[in-house]
C-alpha cells in the first residue's frame, strides 16, 4: 500500500509504499524479517506509522525536512521514558534512508490503547487528574539549562501573529472570523509568567491513549522541550469539557495568567487545523473546530 492512495495532507508529502518499508526493515534490521509489517491508519500529520509485528512501530516522516530531527526525537523519547507512571514509547532503533525514501526513520515500541480521537475522555474527571499528573511529571524533568529555541509553539505568542491572522482569513467561510480576531487580539500580547519548564508540546487527542476513562499512555513524545509552562495546558481545551478542565487546572495549580496563555496556545494550534485539514484529514479539522468552540465558550 502507498500513502498516495490516501488524500495528501501536504503539498510536498513523501510517498512511502509498504514495499519500501518492508525492504528497509529487512535490509537494516534482519532480526525482524519474519515479522508482519502493515500500515496504521491514524489522524497524525507528521509521520506515517507501520506496525512491525505486535510490539514495534516504524515512523517515517511525511515531509522532507531536517535529517537530524529523528535523532532529536529519539533522544527526547529516551529522556521521557519512565519519568511518569504513564507509558510512553521506548526508542528502539534509527533507520537510514534508502530505496527512494530520503530521510532517517525510527522504530519504537508499540503502546496498546485507544486514542482519545476514538474513545473521548472529555467528561472523565479521573482522566483529567491523570493528565494533570502527567503534565506535572514532565514539568519536573530538569531542563538542564535549556530554554526555548526556534519558532514553534512555546515562545512568544506575538511571534505567531502573521500565521494566526492568515489562518483566520482562510477560515472566513468556516468559522466566526470576527470573533476569532477579537480573541487573538487579546491573546497575542499575554506575557510569559514563569521561566521555561519541560513540556510534551503536543497533547492533542491523537497523541493520548485512553482505557476505561483513564490515561493509558502518551504518544509522539519527540517534541519534549523547555518552553512556556503554559504550553501543555492546550490539553485542557483539546481534550476536556468544563468540569474536568477545572479539575486539571486545580491539579496543576494554575493562576489566571498562566491559564489564559494555555488557552492562547490551544487557540494558536487549533486555528490552523480547521481549514488546512478540512478535506485531507477530517479528524484533525474537527478537533480544531471543537477546541475553538470550547475556547469561545470560555469567553
Amino acid at each position: 500500500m502507498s500513502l498516495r492512495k490516501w488524500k495528501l495532507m501536504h503539498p510536498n508529502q513523501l510517498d512511502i509504499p509498504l514495499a519500501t518499508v518492508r525492504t528497509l526493515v529487512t535490509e537494516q534490521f534482519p532480526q525482524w524479517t519474519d515479522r508482519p509489517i502493515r500500515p496504521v491508519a491514524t489522524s497524525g500529520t507528521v509521520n506515517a506509522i507501520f506496525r512491525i509485528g505486535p510490539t514495534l512501530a516504524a515512523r517515517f516522516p511525511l515531509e522532507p525536512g531536517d535529517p537530524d530531527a529523528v535523532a532529536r526525537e529519539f533522544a527526547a523519547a529516551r529522556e521521557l521514558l519512565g519519568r511518569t507512571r504513564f507509558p510512553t514509547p521506548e526508542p528502539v532503533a534509527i533507520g537510514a534512508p534508502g530505496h527512494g525514501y530520503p530521510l532517517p526513520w525510527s522504530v519504537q515500541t508499540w503502546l496498546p490503547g485507544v486514542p482519545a480521537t476514538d474513545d473521548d475522555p472529555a467528561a472523565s474527571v479521573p482522566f483529567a487528574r491523570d493528565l494533570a499528573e502527567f503534565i506535572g511529571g514532565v514539568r519536573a524533568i530538569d531542563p538542564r539549562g535549556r530554554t526555548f529555541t526556534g519558532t514553534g509553539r512555546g515562545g512568544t505568542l506575538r511571534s505567531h501573529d502573521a500565521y494566526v491572522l492568515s489562518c483566520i482569513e482562510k477560515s472566513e467561510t468556516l468559522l466566526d472570523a470576527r470573533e476569532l480576531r477579537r480573541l487573538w487580539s487579546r491573546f497575542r500580547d499575554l506575557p510569559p509568567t514563569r521561566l521555561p519548564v519541560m513540556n510534551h508540546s503536543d497533547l492533542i487527542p491523537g497523541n493520548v491513549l485512553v482505557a476505561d476513562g483513564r490515561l493509558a499512555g502518551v504518544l509522539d513524545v519527540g517534541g519534549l522541550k523547555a518552553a512556556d509552562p503554559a504550553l501543555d495546558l492546550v490539553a485542557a481545551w483539546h481534550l476536556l469539557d468544563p468540569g474536568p478542565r477545572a479539575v486539571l487546572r486545580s491539579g496543576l495549580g494554575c493562576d489566571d495568567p498562566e491559564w489564559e496563555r494555555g488557552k492562547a496556545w490551544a487557540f494558536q494550534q487549533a486555528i490552523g487545523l480547521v481549514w488546512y485539514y478540512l478535506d485531507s484529514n477530517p479528524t484533525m479539522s474537527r478537533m480544531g473546530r471543537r477546541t475553538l468552540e470550547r475556547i469561545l465558550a470560555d469567553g
Side-chain angles (χ1 to χ4, degrees):
M1 179 184 294
S2 166
L3 292 183
R4 271 191 190 150
K5 293 182 180 178
W6 307 347
K7 192 173 184 67
L8 295 182
M9 292 180 290
H10 312 295
N12 58 348
Q13 188 164 319
L14 297 170
D15 186 32
I16 312 171
L18 178 56
T20 298
V21 175
R22 283 187 174 134
T23 300
L24 289 170
V25 171
T26 298
E27 289 185 355
Q28 298 182 33
F29 304 104
Q31 67 270 33
W32 301 326
T33 297
D34 294 334
R35 299 191 183 192
I37 299 174
R38 61 180 176 86
V40 179
T42 75
S43 61
T45 64
V46 178
N47 294 282
I49 311 297
F50 294 83
R51 292 284 299 271
I52 305 175
T55 61
L56 299 176
R59 291 161 54 87
F60 287 78
L62 283 168
E63 295 181 272
D66 182 357
D68 296 325
V70 168
R72 289 196 297 271
E73 292 175 358
F74 195 91
R78 187 171 298 283
E79 182 175 7
L80 181 57
L81 188 68
R83 297 304 297 264
T84 76
R85 67 181 178 90
F86 303 101
T88 58
E90 179 179 356
V92 176
I94 294 179
H99 296 279
Y101 184 75
L103 297 169
W105 47 283
S106 64
V107 179
Q108 62 184 30
T109 53
W110 174 265
L111 294 188
V114 179
T117 50
D118 300 326
D119 185 2
D120 187 1
S124 172
V125 166
F127 175 84
R129 293 195 184 106
D130 290 344
L131 194 56
E133 182 183 341
F134 175 77
I135 293 172
V138 174
R139 287 178 170 184
I141 296 172
D142 185 355
R144 305 194 310 273
R146 287 170 289 186
T147 59
F148 178 81
T149 59
T151 59
R153 291 183 299 275
T156 63
L157 287 156
R158 182 184 280 272
S159 67
H160 299 272
D161 200 41
Y163 168 76
V164 169
L165 293 176
S166 173
C167 288
I168 294 174
E169 182 179 352
K170 291 171 180 174
S171 304
E172 289 277 359
T173 62
L174 302 170
L175 303 167
D176 185 346
R178 180 177 180 180
E179 184 65 9
L180 294 173
R181 287 190 183 95
R182 182 192 68 79
L183 270 179
W184 181 247
S185 69
R186 189 180 92 212
F187 289 152
R188 65 194 293 271
D189 291 321
L190 292 173
T193 57
R194 293 194 288 128
L195 293 174
V197 298
M198 299 301 285
N199 286 259
H200 172 280
S201 303
D202 198 18
L203 290 176
I204 61 174
N207 291 338
V208 172
L209 298 176
V210 181
D212 299 321
R214 303 296 297 262
L215 180 61
V218 180
L219 306 174
D220 254 6
V221 299
L224 181 74
K225 65 185 178 186
D228 183 349
L231 182 56
D232 275 349
L233 299 181
V234 297
W237 292 271
H238 288 328
L239 285 155
L240 299 173
D241 288 341
R245 193 181 309 143
V247 170
L248 174 73
R249 178 177 181 175
S250 176
L252 291 170
C254 301
D255 59 19
D256 288 345
E258 184 171 275
W259 193 246
E260 282 297 294
R261 278 184 67 84
K263 189 189 302 183
W265 286 122
F267 181 102
Q268 186 277 342
Q269 187 171 29
I271 195 62
L273 303 180
V274 180
W275 69 272
Y276 187 84
Y277 294 111
L278 184 64
D279 297 318
S280 64
N281 192 333
T283 298
M284 288 295 286
S285 181
R286 287 193 297 269
M287 188 207 92
R289 186 184 293 273
R290 187 182 192 187
T291 297
L292 292 171
E293 288 170 352
R294 287 167 168 160
I295 292 170
L296 286 166
D298 261 5

